[in-house]
Structures are given as C-alpha cells and as structure tokens.
Amino acid sequence: MAQGEPRDEDESRRKFMLAGAGVLGACVAGITAAPALSMLTHPLRTPTTSGSDAFIPAGKLAQFEGTVPIKVDLYADKVDAWNRVVQVKIGSAWVMQHEDKLVAMSTVCPHLGCAIDFDAEGGKFVCPCHDSYFSLDGAVETGPSPRGMDALEVQTQGELVAIRYQRFRQGTETKEPV
Ligand code: FES
C-alpha cells in the first residue's frame, strides 16, 4: 500500500460514520416533523359538524299556533376541516300544530330531493318536480315519493321553538339519516 492511501479500515469507519449520521438526521427530522404534521392534519381527524346535532332556533311558539304549515329556514355554523362559516342556511322545515302537537317536517322531498311546497287551496303538501302529494301529517297520497315527508325532532325552549335538522337518504322506503 502506498503511503497516504486510505486503509480499508479507515474507509469502512468513514462509511459507518456517514451511515450513522444519516440515520441520526432522519430520526431528528422525524421527531421535529411529527408534531407539525399532527397539527396540520388535526382538522381532518376532528369530526365535522354542520349544526345537525344541535337543536336550531326556528322562531317563537306563537308563530306556529295555527294548523296552517309555516315554512322556516334554519341556520347554523358550518365547520369543515379548515373552515368555519357562521350562520349559513342548512335547510328548511314545515312547522305546524297537528292534532294538538307541534310538528316539523323537512322540506326535502324523499323522492329526489326537490323542495316540497304547501298548496293552501288543496290543504296538502306537494312536490312540483314529479307531482308527489302529501297529506297534512306528511303521508304520501299520490306520486313517486317512496315514503312520507321526513319528520324532524322539534322541541320548545320556553317561548322558543327549536328543530334538530337532519337530511335523509332519498329514494328509499325507510328513513335513513345521512
Ligand atoms: S323529487 Fe319530489 S316527487 Fe320527485
């Protein structure tokens, strides 16, 4: 071996040191990146809310004293992975007294999701898209809707009425929350 040439031992020690430094660098990078990654992806691991779990104020009880359905729009804060939108309309409901009980029904037609209207002259609900007719209690009278109008949970809080708004699968005979 000529003088000044690296010996095999020195060469393997150098390679070993380089590999060790690489592994150590990767570990340090992993340790520092983990909290940042966790923070960035936190919204994705947080349940999304759209106000559907909460009862949403719908108006004063006095508004709904008659048996004629009153349409109310429901507003809630919408939160998704990175956004929070304050007080957006999440849906509407028909509210009325029926057989001495306050009831609320979704305006979304169970057939294909059009907005259900109230025909004051005929005294029934109607979906204009494919002519489904519903009686005052929400039952299907005629038309392609596979089930009656979807009832929503309603409660009174003092003088106020609050509704738990939910959406349901369309085109099914059974009422399945989505
Ligand atoms: S969407 Fe209502 S009848 Fe078709």
Side-chain angles (χ1 to χ4, degrees):
M1 184 190 322
Q3 200 177 12
E5 273 184 29
R7 292 183 316 174
D8 285 351
E9 280 172 27
D10 291 344
E11 184 61 20
S12 25
R13 188 175 300 128
R14 199 175 69 83
K15 281 183 181 166
F16 177 77
M17 297 286 280
L18 275 176
V23 169
L24 190 66
C27 288
V28 170
I31 288 167
T32 40
L37 198 61
S38 171
M39 195 180 81
L40 275 176
T41 59
H42 179 264
L44 293 174
R45 290 178 281 109
T46 305
T48 298
T49 59
S50 63
S52 61
D53 286 340
F55 279 85
I56 299 167
K60 292 193 171 168
L61 188 55
Q63 285 174 248
F64 311 111
E65 277 180 346
T67 52
V68 176
I70 308 280
K71 187 178 172 187
V72 291
D73 295 330
L74 301 166
Y75 295 84
D77 295 349
K78 273 198 150 187
V79 181
D80 64 22
W82 281 277
N83 301 301
R84 178 187 180 86
V85 189
V86 177
Q87 290 298 288
V88 286
K89 183 177 161 184
I90 60 166
S92 304
W94 287 107
V95 184
M96 63 179 167
Q97 296 283 344
H98 186 71
E99 295 175 353
D100 293 331
K101 207 175 137 205
L102 189 65
V103 295
M105 290 183 283
S106 174
T107 60
V108 178
C109 179
H111 181 221
L112 293 177
C114 288
I116 296 173
D117 242 327
F118 182 65
D119 171 11
E121 271 184 30
K124 54 185 70 179
F125 293 100
V126 56
C127 177
C129 286
H130 310 100
D131 288 336
S132 278
Y133 282 83
F134 305 88
S135 57
L136 272 179
D137 64 1
V140 188
E141 287 191 343
T142 57
S145 182
R147 63 174 188 270
M149 291 169 67
D150 295 316
L152 299 169
E153 283 181 65
V154 60
Q155 63 176 213
T156 50
Q157 299 167 348
E159 285 304 301
L160 296 175
V161 172
I163 292 171
R164 183 169 175 248
Y165 187 75
Q166 276 186 295
R167 287 190 171 270
F168 301 93
R169 197 172 307 286
Q170 289 151 18
T172 58
E173 283 181 18
T174 52
K175 186 178 162 192
E176 301 166 25
V178 289

mmCIF file of all heavy atoms in Angstrom, residues 23-73:
data_model
loop_
_atom_site.group_PDB
_atom_site.id
_atom_site.type_symbol
_atom_site.label_atom_id
_atom_site.label_comp_id
_atom_site.label_asym_id
_atom_site.label_seq_id
_atom_site.Cartn_x
_atom_site.Cartn_y
_atom_site.Cartn_z
ATOM 1 N N VAL A 23 -28.778 8.172 9.599
ATOM 2 C CA VAL A 23 -29.865 7.632 10.434
ATOM 3 C C VAL A 23 -30.251 8.645 11.504
ATOM 4 O O VAL A 23 -31.436 8.922 11.746
ATOM 5 C CB VAL A 23 -29.438 6.287 11.069
ATOM 6 C CG1 VAL A 23 -30.434 5.857 12.131
ATOM 7 C CG2 VAL A 23 -29.290 5.225 9.997
ATOM 8 N N LEU A 24 -29.226 9.247 12.133
ATOM 9 C CA LEU A 24 -29.483 10.233 13.176
ATOM 10 C C LEU A 24 -30.250 11.429 12.605
ATOM 11 O O LEU A 24 -31.220 11.916 13.205
ATOM 12 C CB LEU A 24 -28.143 10.693 13.769
ATOM 13 C CG LEU A 24 -28.250 11.548 15.025
ATOM 14 C CD1 LEU A 24 -28.834 10.727 16.178
ATOM 15 C CD2 LEU A 24 -26.889 12.111 15.412
ATOM 16 N N GLY A 25 -29.845 11.873 11.424
ATOM 17 C CA GLY A 25 -30.526 13.001 10.767
ATOM 18 C C GLY A 25 -31.986 12.681 10.501
ATOM 19 O O GLY A 25 -32.877 13.497 10.735
ATOM 20 N N ALA A 26 -32.235 11.449 10.030
ATOM 21 C CA ALA A 26 -33.618 11.050 9.730
ATOM 22 C C ALA A 26 -34.449 11.030 11.001
ATOM 23 O O ALA A 26 -35.612 11.447 11.019
ATOM 24 C CB ALA A 26 -33.628 9.683 9.062
ATOM 25 N N CYS A 27 -33.838 10.541 12.100
ATOM 26 C CA CYS A 27 -34.571 10.494 13.373
ATOM 27 C C CYS A 27 -34.927 11.899 13.844
ATOM 28 O O CYS A 27 -36.062 12.164 14.261
ATOM 29 C CB CYS A 27 -33.735 9.805 14.452
ATOM 30 S SG CYS A 27 -33.612 8.044 14.187
ATOM 31 N N VAL A 28 -33.948 12.804 13.779
ATOM 32 C CA VAL A 28 -34.197 14.178 14.233
ATOM 33 C C VAL A 28 -35.293 14.816 13.377
ATOM 34 O O VAL A 28 -36.222 15.461 13.892
ATOM 35 C CB VAL A 28 -32.890 15.006 14.177
ATOM 36 C CG1 VAL A 28 -33.186 16.484 14.415
ATOM 37 C CG2 VAL A 28 -31.922 14.494 15.226
ATOM 38 N N ALA A 29 -35.221 14.596 12.057
ATOM 39 C CA ALA A 29 -36.233 15.171 11.156
ATOM 40 C C ALA A 29 -37.610 14.619 11.499
ATOM 41 O O ALA A 29 -38.597 15.352 11.539
ATOM 42 C CB ALA A 29 -35.872 14.859 9.712
ATOM 43 N N GLY A 30 -37.671 13.313 11.770
ATOM 44 C CA GLY A 30 -38.958 12.687 12.112
ATOM 45 C C GLY A 30 -39.530 13.243 13.390
ATOM 46 O O GLY A 30 -40.721 13.549 13.478
ATOM 47 N N ILE A 31 -38.640 13.414 14.388
ATOM 48 C CA ILE A 31 -39.109 13.910 15.693
ATOM 49 C C ILE A 31 -39.647 15.331 15.561
ATOM 50 O O ILE A 31 -40.664 15.691 16.147
ATOM 51 C CB ILE A 31 -37.958 13.838 16.731
ATOM 52 C CG1 ILE A 31 -37.711 12.374 17.099
ATOM 53 C CG2 ILE A 31 -38.278 14.657 17.964
ATOM 54 C CD1 ILE A 31 -36.433 12.126 17.848
ATOM 55 N N THR A 32 -38.972 16.153 14.756
ATOM 56 C CA THR A 32 -39.447 17.539 14.637
ATOM 57 C C THR A 32 -40.656 17.647 13.707
ATOM 58 O O THR A 32 -41.508 18.503 13.894
ATOM 59 C CB THR A 32 -38.335 18.485 14.121
ATOM 60 O OG1 THR A 32 -37.625 17.797 13.109
ATOM 61 C CG2 THR A 32 -37.418 18.936 15.186
ATOM 62 N N ALA A 33 -40.743 16.773 12.719
ATOM 63 C CA ALA A 33 -41.863 16.883 11.765
ATOM 64 C C ALA A 33 -43.164 16.325 12.328
ATOM 65 O O ALA A 33 -44.245 16.785 11.962
ATOM 66 C CB ALA A 33 -41.513 16.156 10.474
ATOM 67 N N ALA A 34 -43.067 15.361 13.233
ATOM 68 C CA ALA A 34 -44.287 14.702 13.730
ATOM 69 C C ALA A 34 -45.290 15.663 14.345
ATOM 70 O O ALA A 34 -46.471 15.643 13.983
ATOM 71 C CB ALA A 34 -43.911 13.596 14.709
ATOM 72 N N PRO A 35 -44.852 16.555 15.278
ATOM 73 C CA PRO A 35 -45.851 17.480 15.842
ATOM 74 C C PRO A 35 -46.454 18.405 14.789
ATOM 75 O O PRO A 35 -47.657 18.693 14.828
ATOM 76 C CB PRO A 35 -45.047 18.285 16.877
ATOM 77 C CG PRO A 35 -43.826 17.508 17.137
ATOM 78 C CD PRO A 35 -43.538 16.724 15.888
ATOM 79 N N ALA A 36 -45.612 18.856 13.836
ATOM 80 C CA ALA A 36 -46.122 19.763 12.798
ATOM 81 C C ALA A 36 -47.157 19.045 11.941
ATOM 82 O O ALA A 36 -48.221 19.578 11.625
ATOM 83 C CB ALA A 36 -44.972 20.258 11.933
ATOM 84 N N LEU A 37 -46.848 17.801 11.588
ATOM 85 C CA LEU A 37 -47.776 17.007 10.769
ATOM 86 C C LEU A 37 -49.076 16.756 11.529
ATOM 87 O O LEU A 37 -50.173 16.853 10.987
ATOM 88 C CB LEU A 37 -47.107 15.679 10.402
ATOM 89 C CG LEU A 37 -47.710 14.931 9.237
ATOM 90 C CD1 LEU A 37 -47.619 15.761 7.972
ATOM 91 C CD2 LEU A 37 -47.007 13.599 9.049
ATOM 92 N N SER A 38 -48.920 16.478 12.812
ATOM 93 C CA SER A 38 -50.096 16.228 13.642
ATOM 94 C C SER A 38 -50.981 17.466 13.713
ATOM 95 O O SER A 38 -52.200 17.394 13.622
ATOM 96 C CB SER A 38 -49.628 15.811 15.037
ATOM 97 O OG SER A 38 -50.714 15.761 15.893
ATOM 98 N N MET A 39 -50.325 18.639 13.842
ATOM 99 C CA MET A 39 -51.092 19.882 13.927
ATOM 100 C C MET A 39 -51.816 20.160 12.607
ATOM 101 O O MET A 39 -52.972 20.544 12.582
ATOM 102 C CB MET A 39 -50.143 21.035 14.252
ATOM 103 C CG MET A 39 -50.853 22.277 14.721
ATOM 104 S SD MET A 39 -49.690 23.584 15.076
ATOM 105 C CE MET A 39 -49.380 24.206 13.452
ATOM 106 N N LEU A 40 -51.104 19.902 11.495
ATOM 107 C CA LEU A 40 -51.694 20.177 10.184
ATOM 108 C C LEU A 40 -52.889 19.287 9.880
ATOM 109 O O LEU A 40 -53.861 19.702 9.273
ATOM 110 C CB LEU A 40 -50.636 19.974 9.085
ATOM 111 C CG LEU A 40 -49.733 21.158 8.803
ATOM 112 C CD1 LEU A 40 -48.681 20.767 7.780
ATOM 113 C CD2 LEU A 40 -50.526 22.350 8.297
ATOM 114 N N THR A 41 -52.798 18.042 10.308
ATOM 115 C CA THR A 41 -53.873 17.102 9.974
ATOM 116 C C THR A 41 -54.947 17.022 11.057
ATOM 117 O O THR A 41 -55.904 16.297 10.909
ATOM 118 C CB THR A 41 -53.310 15.685 9.729
ATOM 119 O OG1 THR A 41 -52.643 15.267 10.918
ATOM 120 C CG2 THR A 41 -52.366 15.659 8.553
ATOM 121 N N HIS A 42 -54.769 17.805 12.141
ATOM 122 C CA HIS A 42 -55.748 17.755 13.236
ATOM 123 C C HIS A 42 -57.181 17.995 12.766
ATOM 124 O O HIS A 42 -58.101 17.265 13.154
ATOM 125 C CB HIS A 42 -55.361 18.739 14.334
ATOM 126 C CG HIS A 42 -56.334 18.753 15.463
ATOM 127 N ND1 HIS A 42 -57.346 19.674 15.542
ATOM 128 C CD2 HIS A 42 -56.483 17.926 16.516
ATOM 129 C CE1 HIS A 42 -58.068 19.418 16.629
ATOM 130 N NE2 HIS A 42 -57.553 18.375 17.235
ATOM 131 N N PRO A 43 -57.422 19.017 11.914
ATOM 132 C CA PRO A 43 -58.809 19.234 11.474
ATOM 133 C C PRO A 43 -59.408 18.023 10.777
ATOM 134 O O PRO A 43 -60.606 17.790 10.846
ATOM 135 C CB PRO A 43 -58.681 20.414 10.502
ATOM 136 C CG PRO A 43 -57.424 21.100 10.894
ATOM 137 C CD PRO A 43 -56.507 20.002 11.353
ATOM 138 N N LEU A 44 -58.570 17.247 10.074
ATOM 139 C CA LEU A 44 -59.089 16.083 9.356
ATOM 140 C C LEU A 44 -59.510 14.986 10.325
ATOM 141 O O LEU A 44 -60.342 14.146 10.001
ATOM 142 C CB LEU A 44 -58.027 15.527 8.395
ATOM 143 C CG LEU A 44 -57.676 16.438 7.231
ATOM 144 C CD1 LEU A 44 -56.526 15.843 6.447
ATOM 145 C CD2 LEU A 44 -58.872 16.635 6.325
ATOM 146 N N ARG A 45 -58.898 15.004 11.519
ATOM 147 C CA ARG A 45 -59.243 13.967 12.493
ATOM 148 C C ARG A 45 -60.330 14.436 13.451
ATOM 149 O O ARG A 45 -60.734 13.717 14.335
ATOM 150 C CB ARG A 45 -57.978 13.553 13.266
ATOM 151 C CG ARG A 45 -56.997 12.776 12.391
ATOM 152 C CD ARG A 45 -55.716 12.393 13.108
ATOM 153 N NE ARG A 45 -54.791 13.498 13.184
ATOM 154 C CZ ARG A 45 -54.490 14.168 14.296
ATOM 155 N NH1 ARG A 45 -55.033 13.828 15.431
ATOM 156 N NH2 ARG A 45 -53.647 15.171 14.281
ATOM 157 N N THR A 46 -60.779 15.684 13.281
ATOM 158 C CA THR A 46 -61.825 16.228 14.133
ATOM 159 C C THR A 46 -63.169 16.056 13.441
ATOM 160 O O THR A 46 -63.274 16.343 12.251
ATOM 161 C CB THR A 46 -61.570 17.737 14.372
ATOM 162 O OG1 THR A 46 -60.260 17.871 14.893
ATOM 163 C CG2 THR A 46 -62.577 18.327 15.341
ATOM 164 N N PRO A 47 -64.186 15.580 14.150
ATOM 165 C CA PRO A 47 -65.484 15.385 13.494
ATOM 166 C C PRO A 47 -66.019 16.691 12.909
ATOM 167 O O PRO A 47 -65.925 17.741 13.541
ATOM 168 C CB PRO A 47 -66.384 14.902 14.636
ATOM 169 C CG PRO A 47 -65.503 14.561 15.753
ATOM 170 C CD PRO A 47 -64.192 15.241 15.547
ATOM 171 N N THR A 48 -66.546 16.586 11.681
ATOM 172 C CA THR A 48 -67.133 17.758 11.034
ATOM 173 C C THR A 48 -68.539 17.980 11.575
ATOM 174 O O THR A 48 -69.284 17.037 11.745
ATOM 175 C CB THR A 48 -67.203 17.516 9.529
ATOM 176 O OG1 THR A 48 -65.884 17.358 9.058
ATOM 177 C CG2 THR A 48 -67.856 18.662 8.802
ATOM 178 N N THR A 49 -68.859 19.220 11.850
ATOM 179 C CA THR A 49 -70.213 19.495 12.333
ATOM 180 C C THR A 49 -70.914 20.434 11.374
ATOM 181 O O THR A 49 -70.292 21.243 10.718
ATOM 182 C CB THR A 49 -70.189 20.146 13.722
ATOM 183 O OG1 THR A 49 -69.445 21.355 13.629
ATOM 184 C CG2 THR A 49 -69.595 19.230 14.753
ATOM 185 N N SER A 50 -72.209 20.301 11.300
ATOM 186 C CA SER A 50 -72.967 21.211 10.446
ATOM 187 C C SER A 50 -74.211 21.690 11.175
ATOM 188 O O SER A 50 -75.147 22.154 10.576
ATOM 189 C CB SER A 50 -73.367 20.508 9.156
ATOM 190 O OG SER A 50 -74.222 19.449 9.479
ATOM 191 N N GLY A 51 -74.181 21.582 12.473
ATOM 192 C CA GLY A 51 -75.330 22.025 13.239
ATOM 193 C C GLY A 51 -76.411 20.976 13.334
ATOM 194 O O GLY A 51 -77.414 21.177 13.981
ATOM 195 N N SER A 52 -76.253 19.841 12.659
ATOM 196 C CA SER A 52 -77.321 18.864 12.626
ATOM 197 C C SER A 52 -77.496 18.138 13.961
ATOM 198 O O SER A 52 -78.530 17.545 14.187
ATOM 199 C CB SER A 52 -77.078 17.850 11.521
ATOM 200 O OG SER A 52 -75.878 17.189 11.767
ATOM 201 N N ASP A 53 -76.464 18.176 14.828
ATOM 202 C CA ASP A 53 -76.601 17.501 16.109
ATOM 203 C C ASP A 53 -77.320 18.370 17.134
ATOM 204 O O ASP A 53 -77.822 17.883 18.125
ATOM 205 C CB ASP A 53 -75.219 17.132 16.665
ATOM 206 C CG ASP A 53 -74.635 15.959 15.896
ATOM 207 O OD1 ASP A 53 -75.416 15.240 15.242
ATOM 208 O OD2 ASP A 53 -73.414 15.789 15.933
ATOM 209 N N ALA A 54 -77.349 19.642 16.849
ATOM 210 C CA ALA A 54 -77.912 20.564 17.828
ATOM 211 C C ALA A 54 -79.321 20.973 17.415
ATOM 212 O O ALA A 54 -79.688 20.881 16.245
ATOM 213 C CB ALA A 54 -77.016 21.786 17.920
ATOM 214 N N PHE A 55 -80.090 21.412 18.400
ATOM 215 C CA PHE A 55 -81.397 21.980 18.093
ATOM 216 C C PHE A 55 -81.192 23.436 17.669
ATOM 217 O O PHE A 55 -80.490 24.187 18.346
ATOM 218 C CB PHE A 55 -82.324 21.881 19.305
ATOM 219 C CG PHE A 55 -82.950 20.511 19.421
ATOM 220 C CD1 PHE A 55 -82.273 19.475 20.060
ATOM 221 C CD2 PHE A 55 -84.196 20.261 18.876
ATOM 222 C CE1 PHE A 55 -82.841 18.219 20.144
ATOM 223 C CE2 PHE A 55 -84.772 19.004 18.958
ATOM 224 C CZ PHE A 55 -84.087 17.973 19.588
ATOM 225 N N ILE A 56 -81.768 23.791 16.545
ATOM 226 C CA ILE A 56 -81.553 25.114 15.964
ATOM 227 C C ILE A 56 -82.810 25.961 16.193
ATOM 228 O O ILE A 56 -83.933 25.495 15.917
ATOM 229 C CB ILE A 56 -81.281 24.979 14.456
ATOM 230 C CG1 ILE A 56 -80.026 24.135 14.249
ATOM 231 C CG2 ILE A 56 -81.159 26.325 13.788
ATOM 232 C CD1 ILE A 56 -79.863 23.683 12.818
ATOM 233 N N PRO A 57 -82.643 27.189 16.652
ATOM 234 C CA PRO A 57 -83.815 28.052 16.870
ATOM 235 C C PRO A 57 -84.594 28.235 15.568
ATOM 236 O O PRO A 57 -84.012 28.480 14.510
ATOM 237 C CB PRO A 57 -83.200 29.385 17.314
ATOM 238 C CG PRO A 57 -81.825 29.052 17.775
ATOM 239 C CD PRO A 57 -81.383 27.852 17.005
ATOM 240 N N ALA A 58 -85.927 28.080 15.657
ATOM 241 C CA ALA A 58 -86.763 28.171 14.447
ATOM 242 C C ALA A 58 -87.781 29.291 14.534
ATOM 243 O O ALA A 58 -88.453 29.590 13.549
ATOM 244 C CB ALA A 58 -87.474 26.844 14.225
ATOM 245 N N GLY A 59 -87.921 29.903 15.703
ATOM 246 C CA GLY A 59 -88.880 31.001 15.835
ATOM 247 C C GLY A 59 -89.602 30.914 17.170
ATOM 248 O O GLY A 59 -89.291 30.072 18.014
ATOM 249 N N LYS A 60 -90.574 31.823 17.325
ATOM 250 C CA LYS A 60 -91.337 31.847 18.584
ATOM 251 C C LYS A 60 -92.536 30.926 18.483
ATOM 252 O O LYS A 60 -93.143 30.794 17.411
ATOM 253 C CB LYS A 60 -91.788 33.269 18.882
ATOM 254 C CG LYS A 60 -90.628 34.176 19.225
ATOM 255 C CD LYS A 60 -91.110 35.473 19.808
ATOM 256 C CE LYS A 60 -89.914 36.247 20.332
ATOM 257 N NZ LYS A 60 -90.229 37.612 20.657
ATOM 258 N N LEU A 61 -92.894 30.335 19.584
ATOM 259 C CA LEU A 61 -94.004 29.384 19.638
ATOM 260 C C LEU A 61 -95.295 29.999 19.095
ATOM 261 O O LEU A 61 -96.070 29.338 18.393
ATOM 262 C CB LEU A 61 -94.190 28.925 21.089
ATOM 263 C CG LEU A 61 -95.161 27.797 21.348
ATOM 264 C CD1 LEU A 61 -94.820 26.561 20.520
ATOM 265 C CD2 LEU A 61 -95.186 27.445 22.824
ATOM 266 N N ALA A 62 -95.505 31.297 19.383
ATOM 267 C CA ALA A 62 -96.734 31.971 18.954
ATOM 268 C C ALA A 62 -96.894 31.956 17.435
ATOM 269 O O ALA A 62 -98.021 32.015 16.928
ATOM 270 C CB ALA A 62 -96.731 33.399 19.484
ATOM 271 N N GLN A 63 -95.777 31.884 16.701
ATOM 272 C CA GLN A 63 -95.839 31.859 15.230
ATOM 273 C C GLN A 63 -96.537 30.610 14.707
ATOM 274 O O GLN A 63 -97.047 30.588 13.607
ATOM 275 C CB GLN A 63 -94.415 31.830 14.640
ATOM 276 C CG GLN A 63 -93.640 33.110 14.676
ATOM 277 C CD GLN A 63 -92.229 32.847 14.190
ATOM 278 O OE1 GLN A 63 -91.297 32.918 14.962
ATOM 279 N NE2 GLN A 63 -92.071 32.518 12.917
ATOM 280 N N PHE A 64 -96.487 29.542 15.491
ATOM 281 C CA PHE A 64 -96.931 28.244 14.992
ATOM 282 C C PHE A 64 -98.203 27.764 15.684
ATOM 283 O O PHE A 64 -98.395 26.583 15.902
ATOM 284 C CB PHE A 64 -95.805 27.204 15.168
ATOM 285 C CG PHE A 64 -94.476 27.664 14.653
ATOM 286 C CD1 PHE A 64 -93.435 27.947 15.523
ATOM 287 C CD2 PHE A 64 -94.259 27.825 13.291
ATOM 288 C CE1 PHE A 64 -92.202 28.375 15.047
ATOM 289 C CE2 PHE A 64 -93.039 28.263 12.803
ATOM 290 C CZ PHE A 64 -91.996 28.537 13.683
ATOM 291 N N GLU A 65 -99.045 28.716 16.046
ATOM 292 C CA GLU A 65 -100.244 28.314 16.779
ATOM 293 C C GLU A 65 -101.317 27.696 15.898
ATOM 294 O O GLU A 65 -102.068 26.849 16.330
ATOM 295 C CB GLU A 65 -100.806 29.504 17.547
ATOM 296 C CG GLU A 65 -100.063 29.666 18.872
ATOM 297 C CD GLU A 65 -100.553 30.822 19.680
ATOM 298 O OE1 GLU A 65 -101.283 31.657 19.127
ATOM 299 O OE2 GLU A 65 -100.187 30.874 20.862
ATOM 300 N N GLY A 66 -101.356 28.108 14.618
ATOM 301 C CA GLY A 66 -102.404 27.601 13.739
ATOM 302 C C GLY A 66 -102.057 26.235 13.157
ATOM 303 O O GLY A 66 -100.991 25.673 13.405
ATOM 304 N N THR A 67 -103.014 25.702 12.390
ATOM 305 C CA THR A 67 -102.788 24.394 11.769
ATOM 306 C C THR A 67 -102.260 24.543 10.336
ATOM 307 O O THR A 67 -102.047 23.544 9.654
ATOM 308 C CB THR A 67 -104.098 23.582 11.734
ATOM 309 O OG1 THR A 67 -105.110 24.392 11.151
ATOM 310 C CG2 THR A 67 -104.515 23.157 13.128
ATOM 311 N N VAL A 68 -102.081 25.805 9.909
ATOM 312 C CA VAL A 68 -101.501 26.013 8.573
ATOM 313 C C VAL A 68 -99.979 25.945 8.699
ATOM 314 O O VAL A 68 -99.387 26.625 9.546
ATOM 315 C CB VAL A 68 -101.918 27.398 8.006
ATOM 316 C CG1 VAL A 68 -101.242 27.648 6.669
ATOM 317 C CG2 VAL A 68 -103.422 27.476 7.868
ATOM 318 N N PRO A 69 -99.358 25.119 7.881
ATOM 319 C CA PRO A 69 -97.896 24.974 7.992
ATOM 320 C C PRO A 69 -97.159 26.269 7.681
ATOM 321 O O PRO A 69 -97.538 27.008 6.782
ATOM 322 C CB PRO A 69 -97.568 23.917 6.932
ATOM 323 C CG PRO A 69 -98.854 23.253 6.626
ATOM 324 C CD PRO A 69 -99.932 24.249 6.859
ATOM 325 N N ILE A 70 -96.136 26.532 8.481
ATOM 326 C CA ILE A 70 -95.285 27.715 8.285
ATOM 327 C C ILE A 70 -93.891 27.195 7.903
ATOM 328 O O ILE A 70 -93.360 26.307 8.566
ATOM 329 C CB ILE A 70 -95.142 28.528 9.595
ATOM 330 C CG1 ILE A 70 -96.507 28.852 10.199
ATOM 331 C CG2 ILE A 70 -94.280 29.756 9.372
ATOM 332 C CD1 ILE A 70 -97.232 30.002 9.588
ATOM 333 N N LYS A 71 -93.360 27.772 6.846
ATOM 334 C CA LYS A 71 -92.019 27.334 6.422
ATOM 335 C C LYS A 71 -90.964 28.167 7.144
ATOM 336 O O LYS A 71 -91.048 29.394 7.164
ATOM 337 C CB LYS A 71 -91.879 27.515 4.912
ATOM 338 C CG LYS A 71 -90.600 26.937 4.354
ATOM 339 C CD LYS A 71 -90.583 27.120 2.847
ATOM 340 C CE LYS A 71 -89.254 26.733 2.285
ATOM 341 N NZ LYS A 71 -89.151 27.062 0.864
ATOM 342 N N VAL A 72 -89.993 27.484 7.749
ATOM 343 C CA VAL A 72 -88.902 28.204 8.411
ATOM 344 C C VAL A 72 -87.565 27.756 7.828
ATOM 345 O O VAL A 72 -87.381 26.583 7.482
ATOM 346 C CB VAL A 72 -88.889 27.971 9.947
ATOM 347 C CG1 VAL A 72 -90.065 28.623 10.605
ATOM 348 C CG2 VAL A 72 -88.820 26.499 10.277
ATOM 349 N N ASP A 73 -86.683 28.717 7.677
ATOM 350 C CA ASP A 73 -85.317 28.408 7.251
ATOM 351 C C ASP A 73 -84.449 28.256 8.497
ATOM 352 O O ASP A 73 -84.607 29.008 9.455
ATOM 353 C CB ASP A 73 -84.768 29.529 6.359
ATOM 354 C CG ASP A 73 -85.537 29.636 5.050
ATOM 355 O OD1 ASP A 73 -86.044 28.592 4.581
ATOM 356 O OD2 ASP A 73 -85.642 30.750 4.500
#
